[in-house]
Amino acid sequence: MTPKEAKAYLMQYRESLDRTREIAEHLDELKAEAVRLKGHEGQRVDLDSAVARYVDACEESAHELDRLAALRAEIVGAIDGVTSSKYRTLLYWRYIRGYTWEQIAVEMSYSWRQTCRLHGDALNAVKIFLPCGEQDGERWSN
């Protein structure tokens, strides 16, 4: 795996959190619509329709939320598999916590330039192993 591929793979952690939030917000909106209609007499058809949309969206979202959670766990596992604690820490702060390079440099007591160099070394240390057939363009293997 190249450092560019490792970086793209690790960046999926934050992207999956964003997607999870989007799904939760969508479900909250659908639920709020159903709750709003509940208080209005004579709109039973609208209420039934709103509840059905909410239930359908929950069922459709469950699979994607499971997939996103599994991806995040896989990425954490890939970071945990890095043997150097210095590299693990840098990768965790960058890709899991979303720290900026400046924040990482301060936390690790390195210059910004040294932090970026260490990042390149850390990306070279990332190893991801996936079963054959699971390489779908978003997931990588070594």
Side-chain angles (χ1 to χ4, degrees):
M1 171 184 303
T2 67
K4 185 176 181 177
E5 292 170 333
K7 181 178 177 179
Y9 173 76
L10 296 172
M11 287 176 63
Q12 290 181 91
Y13 188 94
R14 305 295 300 171
E15 293 165 2
S16 75
L17 288 178
D18 292 342
R19 181 63 185 137
T20 299
R21 276 190 283 277
E22 289 170 3
I23 291 169
E25 288 172 6
H26 177 67
L27 293 176
D28 286 347
E29 290 168 4
L30 292 174
K31 184 178 180 180
E33 178 186 356
V35 168
R36 182 181 54 80
L37 290 172
K38 183 180 178 189
H40 294 78
E41 294 296 323
Q43 294 185 344
R44 184 73 186 163
V45 173
D46 291 341
L47 175 60
D48 290 345
S49 176
V51 170
R53 281 194 306 273
Y54 175 70
V55 170
D56 290 345
C58 286
E59 290 171 357
E60 291 171 10
S61 299
H63 177 70
E64 185 172 5
L65 291 171
D66 288 344
R67 184 187 64 79
L68 292 169
L71 175 62
R72 287 192 302 272
E74 182 182 285
I75 292 169
V76 169
I79 291 172
D80 287 344
V82 172
T83 56
S84 166
S85 64
K86 178 173 34 177
Y87 294 166
R88 266 194 321 273
T89 299
L90 187 147
L91 293 170
Y92 181 81
W93 283 345
R94 180 64 179 176
Y95 296 102
I96 305 303
R97 290 198 172 169
Y99 283 15
T100 65
W101 295 120
E102 292 78 9
Q103 290 171 314
I104 294 169
V106 168
E107 290 290 332
M108 296 185 82
S109 300
Y110 288 121
S111 69
W112 179 85
R113 185 178 303 269
Q114 180 70 359
T115 302
C116 291
R117 187 190 66 73
L118 284 172
H119 176 250
D121 295 342
L123 289 175
N124 283 321
V126 173
K127 305 270 188 266
I128 297 128
F129 298 97
L130 296 174
C132 292
E134 284 197 28
Q135 298 173 13
D136 60 10
E138 289 188 347
R139 300 170 83 174
W140 312 92
S141 68
N142 244 352

